[in-house]
Amino acid sequence: LQIILMDSIDQLIDSFDSKEKNKNVRYREFLYHCFTKFEKEIKKIKSKKIINKYITMRDNTLSYLIQNEKEITLKLSR
């Protein structure tokens, strides 16, 4: 599960683009980007079971990003 989460985070980082120089603002923009990516996927789906899966995945991803803010901020600054 950890490997899958890291892979999806790397994909989210690759899809993120910001001209913001301030690392704290950039990090918050990234959190918002991640949330909206999941929301777009959730809106496309009709099945409640799959929607719940995506909601759980979104919550776990955002929780991980918040718990590992320094590591994520470093990755975003590359």
Side-chain angles (χ1 to χ4, degrees), residues 26-45:
R26 188 175 174 88
Y27 170 74
R28 288 193 303 271
E29 284 180 351
F30 178 67
L31 289 179
Y32 179 74
H33 168 74
C34 295
F35 182 83
T36 56
K37 281 286 209 181
F38 279 104
E39 285 301 301
K40 286 178 187 175
E41 288 301 315
I42 290 169
K43 287 182 180 178
K44 291 180 193 175
I45 299 167

PDB file of all heavy atoms in Angstrom, residues 26-45:
ATOM      1  N   ARG A  26       3.205  27.176  -2.144  1.00  0.00           N
ATOM      2  CA  ARG A  26       3.292  26.127  -3.158  1.00  0.00           C
ATOM      3  C   ARG A  26       2.783  24.782  -2.608  1.00  0.00           C
ATOM      4  O   ARG A  26       2.050  24.067  -3.278  1.00  0.00           O
ATOM      5  CB  ARG A  26       4.739  25.995  -3.633  1.00  0.00           C
ATOM      6  CG  ARG A  26       4.948  25.080  -4.798  1.00  0.00           C
ATOM      7  CD  ARG A  26       6.425  25.163  -5.213  1.00  0.00           C
ATOM      8  NE  ARG A  26       6.723  24.213  -6.232  1.00  0.00           N
ATOM      9  CZ  ARG A  26       6.593  24.431  -7.536  1.00  0.00           C
ATOM     10  NH1 ARG A  26       6.169  25.592  -7.956  1.00  0.00           N
ATOM     11  NH2 ARG A  26       6.895  23.496  -8.406  1.00  0.00           N
ATOM     12  N   TYR A  27       3.145  24.485  -1.384  1.00  0.00           N
ATOM     13  CA  TYR A  27       2.688  23.249  -0.736  1.00  0.00           C
ATOM     14  C   TYR A  27       1.165  23.256  -0.582  1.00  0.00           C
ATOM     15  O   TYR A  27       0.499  22.267  -0.889  1.00  0.00           O
ATOM     16  CB  TYR A  27       3.380  23.101   0.623  1.00  0.00           C
ATOM     17  CG  TYR A  27       2.819  21.997   1.480  1.00  0.00           C
ATOM     18  CD1 TYR A  27       3.075  20.664   1.184  1.00  0.00           C
ATOM     19  CD2 TYR A  27       2.020  22.286   2.578  1.00  0.00           C
ATOM     20  CE1 TYR A  27       2.552  19.638   1.963  1.00  0.00           C
ATOM     21  CE2 TYR A  27       1.493  21.274   3.365  1.00  0.00           C
ATOM     22  CZ  TYR A  27       1.763  19.963   3.048  1.00  0.00           C
ATOM     23  OH  TYR A  27       1.236  18.966   3.829  1.00  0.00           O
ATOM     24  N   ARG A  28       0.601  24.375  -0.134  1.00  0.00           N
ATOM     25  CA  ARG A  28      -0.857  24.471   0.007  1.00  0.00           C
ATOM     26  C   ARG A  28      -1.543  24.370  -1.349  1.00  0.00           C
ATOM     27  O   ARG A  28      -2.603  23.742  -1.468  1.00  0.00           O
ATOM     28  CB  ARG A  28      -1.239  25.760   0.732  1.00  0.00           C
ATOM     29  CG  ARG A  28      -0.887  25.705   2.221  1.00  0.00           C
ATOM     30  CD  ARG A  28      -1.523  26.818   3.014  1.00  0.00           C
ATOM     31  NE  ARG A  28      -1.191  28.148   2.552  1.00  0.00           N
ATOM     32  CZ  ARG A  28      -0.142  28.854   2.965  1.00  0.00           C
ATOM     33  NH1 ARG A  28       0.676  28.342   3.857  1.00  0.00           N
ATOM     34  NH2 ARG A  28       0.075  30.056   2.500  1.00  0.00           N
ATOM     35  N   GLU A  29      -0.957  24.961  -2.370  1.00  0.00           N
ATOM     36  CA  GLU A  29      -1.508  24.822  -3.725  1.00  0.00           C
ATOM     37  C   GLU A  29      -1.490  23.357  -4.165  1.00  0.00           C
ATOM     38  O   GLU A  29      -2.417  22.887  -4.812  1.00  0.00           O
ATOM     39  CB  GLU A  29      -0.705  25.652  -4.730  1.00  0.00           C
ATOM     40  CG  GLU A  29      -0.971  27.126  -4.670  1.00  0.00           C
ATOM     41  CD  GLU A  29      -0.150  27.891  -5.702  1.00  0.00           C
ATOM     42  OE1 GLU A  29       0.752  27.308  -6.348  1.00  0.00           O
ATOM     43  OE2 GLU A  29      -0.399  29.085  -5.863  1.00  0.00           O
ATOM     44  N   PHE A  30      -0.434  22.653  -3.815  1.00  0.00           N
ATOM     45  CA  PHE A  30      -0.334  21.234  -4.162  1.00  0.00           C
ATOM     46  C   PHE A  30      -1.418  20.418  -3.453  1.00  0.00           C
ATOM     47  O   PHE A  30      -2.033  19.543  -4.059  1.00  0.00           O
ATOM     48  CB  PHE A  30       1.057  20.689  -3.825  1.00  0.00           C
ATOM     49  CG  PHE A  30       1.204  19.231  -4.107  1.00  0.00           C
ATOM     50  CD1 PHE A  30       1.163  18.757  -5.410  1.00  0.00           C
ATOM     51  CD2 PHE A  30       1.365  18.319  -3.078  1.00  0.00           C
ATOM     52  CE1 PHE A  30       1.279  17.400  -5.689  1.00  0.00           C
ATOM     53  CE2 PHE A  30       1.481  16.967  -3.337  1.00  0.00           C
ATOM     54  CZ  PHE A  30       1.436  16.506  -4.648  1.00  0.00           C
ATOM     55  N   LEU A  31      -1.673  20.698  -2.180  1.00  0.00           N
ATOM     56  CA  LEU A  31      -2.738  20.005  -1.458  1.00  0.00           C
ATOM     57  C   LEU A  31      -4.080  20.225  -2.151  1.00  0.00           C
ATOM     58  O   LEU A  31      -4.861  19.294  -2.338  1.00  0.00           O
ATOM     59  CB  LEU A  31      -2.817  20.478   0.001  1.00  0.00           C
ATOM     60  CG  LEU A  31      -1.687  20.062   0.924  1.00  0.00           C
ATOM     61  CD1 LEU A  31      -1.922  20.655   2.321  1.00  0.00           C
ATOM     62  CD2 LEU A  31      -1.538  18.565   0.999  1.00  0.00           C
ATOM     63  N   TYR A  32      -4.314  21.447  -2.555  1.00  0.00           N
ATOM     64  CA  TYR A  32      -5.559  21.762  -3.254  1.00  0.00           C
ATOM     65  C   TYR A  32      -5.624  21.028  -4.603  1.00  0.00           C
ATOM     66  O   TYR A  32      -6.657  20.488  -4.980  1.00  0.00           O
ATOM     67  CB  TYR A  32      -5.686  23.277  -3.453  1.00  0.00           C
ATOM     68  CG  TYR A  32      -6.938  23.659  -4.185  1.00  0.00           C
ATOM     69  CD1 TYR A  32      -8.175  23.606  -3.549  1.00  0.00           C
ATOM     70  CD2 TYR A  32      -6.893  24.067  -5.513  1.00  0.00           C
ATOM     71  CE1 TYR A  32      -9.337  23.946  -4.227  1.00  0.00           C
ATOM     72  CE2 TYR A  32      -8.048  24.401  -6.194  1.00  0.00           C
ATOM     73  CZ  TYR A  32      -9.264  24.334  -5.543  1.00  0.00           C
ATOM     74  OH  TYR A  32     -10.411  24.660  -6.214  1.00  0.00           O
ATOM     75  N   HIS A  33      -4.508  21.004  -5.293  1.00  0.00           N
ATOM     76  CA  HIS A  33      -4.417  20.287  -6.576  1.00  0.00           C
ATOM     77  C   HIS A  33      -4.776  18.811  -6.385  1.00  0.00           C
ATOM     78  O   HIS A  33      -5.558  18.252  -7.164  1.00  0.00           O
ATOM     79  CB  HIS A  33      -2.997  20.431  -7.134  1.00  0.00           C
ATOM     80  CG  HIS A  33      -2.687  19.535  -8.286  1.00  0.00           C
ATOM     81  ND1 HIS A  33      -3.186  19.767  -9.543  1.00  0.00           N
ATOM     82  CD2 HIS A  33      -1.939  18.405  -8.361  1.00  0.00           C
ATOM     83  CE1 HIS A  33      -2.752  18.801 -10.351  1.00  0.00           C
ATOM     84  NE2 HIS A  33      -1.999  17.974  -9.652  1.00  0.00           N
ATOM     85  N   CYS A  34      -4.236  18.192  -5.362  1.00  0.00           N
ATOM     86  CA  CYS A  34      -4.511  16.777  -5.082  1.00  0.00           C
ATOM     87  C   CYS A  34      -5.988  16.555  -4.776  1.00  0.00           C
ATOM     88  O   CYS A  34      -6.611  15.627  -5.298  1.00  0.00           O
ATOM     89  CB  CYS A  34      -3.667  16.284  -3.910  1.00  0.00           C
ATOM     90  SG  CYS A  34      -1.910  16.278  -4.254  1.00  0.00           S
ATOM     91  N   PHE A  35      -6.534  17.412  -3.948  1.00  0.00           N
ATOM     92  CA  PHE A  35      -7.944  17.291  -3.596  1.00  0.00           C
ATOM     93  C   PHE A  35      -8.829  17.404  -4.836  1.00  0.00           C
ATOM     94  O   PHE A  35      -9.735  16.591  -5.041  1.00  0.00           O
ATOM     95  CB  PHE A  35      -8.325  18.373  -2.575  1.00  0.00           C
ATOM     96  CG  PHE A  35      -9.750  18.283  -2.133  1.00  0.00           C
ATOM     97  CD1 PHE A  35     -10.120  17.413  -1.129  1.00  0.00           C
ATOM     98  CD2 PHE A  35     -10.735  19.066  -2.719  1.00  0.00           C
ATOM     99  CE1 PHE A  35     -11.441  17.309  -0.715  1.00  0.00           C
ATOM    100  CE2 PHE A  35     -12.055  18.972  -2.327  1.00  0.00           C
ATOM    101  CZ  PHE A  35     -12.408  18.096  -1.314  1.00  0.00           C
ATOM    102  N   THR A  36      -8.559  18.373  -5.679  1.00  0.00           N
ATOM    103  CA  THR A  36      -9.390  18.566  -6.878  1.00  0.00           C
ATOM    104  C   THR A  36      -9.226  17.430  -7.878  1.00  0.00           C
ATOM    105  O   THR A  36     -10.193  17.069  -8.559  1.00  0.00           O
ATOM    106  CB  THR A  36      -9.101  19.915  -7.564  1.00  0.00           C
ATOM    107  OG1 THR A  36      -7.719  20.001  -7.877  1.00  0.00           O
ATOM    108  CG2 THR A  36      -9.529  21.074  -6.689  1.00  0.00           C
ATOM    109  N   LYS A  37      -8.043  16.853  -7.973  1.00  0.00           N
ATOM    110  CA  LYS A  37      -7.841  15.691  -8.853  1.00  0.00           C
ATOM    111  C   LYS A  37      -8.750  14.542  -8.436  1.00  0.00           C
ATOM    112  O   LYS A  37      -9.387  13.905  -9.273  1.00  0.00           O
ATOM    113  CB  LYS A  37      -6.387  15.211  -8.826  1.00  0.00           C
ATOM    114  CG  LYS A  37      -5.449  16.005  -9.651  1.00  0.00           C
ATOM    115  CD  LYS A  37      -5.673  15.693 -11.101  1.00  0.00           C
ATOM    116  CE  LYS A  37      -4.397  15.878 -11.864  1.00  0.00           C
ATOM    117  NZ  LYS A  37      -4.570  15.603 -13.265  1.00  0.00           N
ATOM    118  N   PHE A  38      -8.783  14.265  -7.136  1.00  0.00           N
ATOM    119  CA  PHE A  38      -9.646  13.197  -6.646  1.00  0.00           C
ATOM    120  C   PHE A  38     -11.117  13.544  -6.848  1.00  0.00           C
ATOM    121  O   PHE A  38     -11.917  12.690  -7.212  1.00  0.00           O
ATOM    122  CB  PHE A  38      -9.370  12.899  -5.168  1.00  0.00           C
ATOM    123  CG  PHE A  38      -8.179  12.020  -4.945  1.00  0.00           C
ATOM    124  CD1 PHE A  38      -6.975  12.532  -4.490  1.00  0.00           C
ATOM    125  CD2 PHE A  38      -8.254  10.659  -5.195  1.00  0.00           C
ATOM    126  CE1 PHE A  38      -5.871  11.719  -4.289  1.00  0.00           C
ATOM    127  CE2 PHE A  38      -7.164   9.829  -4.996  1.00  0.00           C
ATOM    128  CZ  PHE A  38      -5.970  10.365  -4.548  1.00  0.00           C
ATOM    129  N   GLU A  39     -11.485  14.792  -6.605  1.00  0.00           N
ATOM    130  CA  GLU A  39     -12.876  15.205  -6.773  1.00  0.00           C
ATOM    131  C   GLU A  39     -13.352  15.025  -8.213  1.00  0.00           C
ATOM    132  O   GLU A  39     -14.474  14.589  -8.450  1.00  0.00           O
ATOM    133  CB  GLU A  39     -13.066  16.661  -6.345  1.00  0.00           C
ATOM    134  CG  GLU A  39     -13.062  16.862  -4.857  1.00  0.00           C
ATOM    135  CD  GLU A  39     -14.152  16.083  -4.145  1.00  0.00           C
ATOM    136  OE1 GLU A  39     -15.341  16.286  -4.443  1.00  0.00           O
ATOM    137  OE2 GLU A  39     -13.803  15.242  -3.300  1.00  0.00           O
ATOM    138  N   LYS A  40     -12.498  15.340  -9.166  1.00  0.00           N
ATOM    139  CA  LYS A  40     -12.850  15.153 -10.582  1.00  0.00           C
ATOM    140  C   LYS A  40     -13.126  13.687 -10.882  1.00  0.00           C
ATOM    141  O   LYS A  40     -14.074  13.354 -11.595  1.00  0.00           O
ATOM    142  CB  LYS A  40     -11.740  15.672 -11.489  1.00  0.00           C
ATOM    143  CG  LYS A  40     -11.676  17.172 -11.568  1.00  0.00           C
ATOM    144  CD  LYS A  40     -10.535  17.619 -12.446  1.00  0.00           C
ATOM    145  CE  LYS A  40     -10.376  19.126 -12.393  1.00  0.00           C
ATOM    146  NZ  LYS A  40      -9.200  19.574 -13.131  1.00  0.00           N
ATOM    147  N   GLU A  41     -12.298  12.813 -10.338  1.00  0.00           N
ATOM    148  CA  GLU A  41     -12.491  11.373 -10.544  1.00  0.00           C
ATOM    149  C   GLU A  41     -13.778  10.892  -9.872  1.00  0.00           C
ATOM    150  O   GLU A  41     -14.527  10.116 -10.456  1.00  0.00           O
ATOM    151  CB  GLU A  41     -11.296  10.576 -10.016  1.00  0.00           C
ATOM    152  CG  GLU A  41     -10.053  10.707 -10.846  1.00  0.00           C
ATOM    153  CD  GLU A  41     -10.241  10.248 -12.274  1.00  0.00           C
ATOM    154  OE1 GLU A  41     -10.841   9.173 -12.500  1.00  0.00           O
ATOM    155  OE2 GLU A  41      -9.814  10.971 -13.178  1.00  0.00           O
ATOM    156  N   ILE A  42     -14.020  11.367  -8.686  1.00  0.00           N
ATOM    157  CA  ILE A  42     -15.202  10.945  -7.937  1.00  0.00           C
ATOM    158  C   ILE A  42     -16.477  11.361  -8.677  1.00  0.00           C
ATOM    159  O   ILE A  42     -17.440  10.596  -8.746  1.00  0.00           O
ATOM    160  CB  ILE A  42     -15.167  11.514  -6.497  1.00  0.00           C
ATOM    161  CG1 ILE A  42     -14.060  10.813  -5.695  1.00  0.00           C
ATOM    162  CG2 ILE A  42     -16.515  11.390  -5.805  1.00  0.00           C
ATOM    163  CD1 ILE A  42     -13.738  11.447  -4.363  1.00  0.00           C
ATOM    164  N   LYS A  43     -16.479  12.552  -9.252  1.00  0.00           N
ATOM    165  CA  LYS A  43     -17.668  13.036  -9.963  1.00  0.00           C
ATOM    166  C   LYS A  43     -17.974  12.232 -11.217  1.00  0.00           C
ATOM    167  O   LYS A  43     -19.120  12.178 -11.647  1.00  0.00           O
ATOM    168  CB  LYS A  43     -17.510  14.511 -10.307  1.00  0.00           C
ATOM    169  CG  LYS A  43     -17.651  15.397  -9.090  1.00  0.00           C
ATOM    170  CD  LYS A  43     -17.532  16.847  -9.439  1.00  0.00           C
ATOM    171  CE  LYS A  43     -17.674  17.684  -8.171  1.00  0.00           C
ATOM    172  NZ  LYS A  43     -17.523  19.092  -8.413  1.00  0.00           N
ATOM    173  N   LYS A  44     -16.981  11.595 -11.806  1.00  0.00           N
ATOM    174  CA  LYS A  44     -17.171  10.804 -13.021  1.00  0.00           C
ATOM    175  C   LYS A  44     -17.821   9.453 -12.745  1.00  0.00           C
ATOM    176  O   LYS A  44     -18.389   8.844 -13.639  1.00  0.00           O
ATOM    177  CB  LYS A  44     -15.823  10.523 -13.697  1.00  0.00           C
ATOM    178  CG  LYS A  44     -15.148  11.705 -14.298  1.00  0.00           C
ATOM    179  CD  LYS A  44     -13.852  11.229 -14.919  1.00  0.00           C
ATOM    180  CE  LYS A  44     -12.922  12.348 -15.277  1.00  0.00           C
ATOM    181  NZ  LYS A  44     -11.635  11.833 -15.765  1.00  0.00           N
ATOM    182  N   ILE A  45     -17.713   8.987 -11.507  1.00  0.00           N
ATOM    183  CA  ILE A  45     -18.081   7.611 -11.169  1.00  0.00           C
ATOM    184  C   ILE A  45     -19.527   7.538 -10.682  1.00  0.00           C
ATOM    185  O   ILE A  45     -20.001   8.407  -9.959  1.00  0.00           O
ATOM    186  CB  ILE A  45     -17.118   7.069 -10.089  1.00  0.00           C
ATOM    187  CG1 ILE A  45     -15.695   7.079 -10.623  1.00  0.00           C
ATOM    188  CG2 ILE A  45     -17.526   5.686  -9.644  1.00  0.00           C
ATOM    189  CD1 ILE A  45     -14.645   6.868  -9.580  1.00  0.00           C
TER     190      ILE A  45
END
